[in-house]
Amino acid sequence: MANYARIESYGLALEAERRAREGQPFSLISRTLGVPLSTLNYWALKGCFRRCDLDEEAAIERTKVLIERIMKARVREKAEKEELAAQLRAVAAQLKIEVDETKMLEPACMPKEPAS
């Protein structure tokens, strides 16, 4: 009998976590599942599905997505720079001029702002 109660309790805890991750308030989950709010809070603490835990998980996921986008943009930018360098070399070869490749892709000098 004790094992059945443990299995039922585990099932309720999983259902509570699923509902919490969907954004349902703990008070509603407690009423719907017939579980005391204190028990639900204990499960959330042990299972890391308190609101603060879920917010942290979401922030970590957003950060991972942002880092991935930045890395893809850097790869794309590097490929574009290499393509531009190849085009510049081709033009320089046609014009028969020497090009300092170390300075080829540096940004152009910006005019200085007038002193106030």
Side-chain angles (χ1 to χ4, degrees), residues 76-116:
R76 203 170 39 248
E77 183 180 88
K78 183 178 179 184
E80 290 170 357
K81 281 184 177 181
E82 289 172 358
E83 183 180 334
L84 180 60
Q87 290 173 0
L88 289 173
R89 280 192 291 276
V91 169
Q94 287 177 350
L95 299 174
K96 297 180 182 177
I97 55 176
E98 289 186 29
V99 177
D100 183 1
E101 291 199 23
T102 59
K103 296 182 179 180
M104 186 182 296
L105 296 176
E106 288 181 1
C109 295
M110 298 296 291
K112 294 182 180 179
E113 293 182 18
S116 302

Side-chain angles (χ1 to χ4, degrees), residues 3-81:
N3 285 338
Y4 176 75
R6 184 173 290 167
I7 292 170
E8 183 180 9
S9 174
Y10 184 70
L12 287 172
L14 288 176
E15 179 63 16
E17 180 175 356
R18 184 187 68 76
R19 290 173 183 239
R21 289 185 181 280
E22 288 177 353
Q24 289 186 14
F26 276 21
S27 57
L28 178 62
I29 297 170
S30 174
R31 268 195 316 270
T32 305
L33 299 180
V35 176
L37 192 56
S38 59
T39 301
L40 183 58
N41 284 324
Y42 175 76
W43 289 344
L45 175 65
K46 292 297 181 183
C48 295
F49 62 92
R50 298 172 298 172
R51 181 63 42 215
C52 62
D53 298 325
L54 300 178
D55 290 345
E56 184 178 347
E57 283 179 15
I60 289 170
E61 192 57 37
R62 285 190 305 269
T63 302
K64 286 179 182 178
V65 168
L66 182 60
I67 288 171
E68 185 178 320
R69 287 180 182 168
I70 290 170
M71 296 304 291
K72 285 180 181 179
R74 285 184 177 171
V75 167
R76 203 170 39 248
E77 183 180 88
K78 183 178 179 184
E80 290 170 357
K81 281 184 177 181

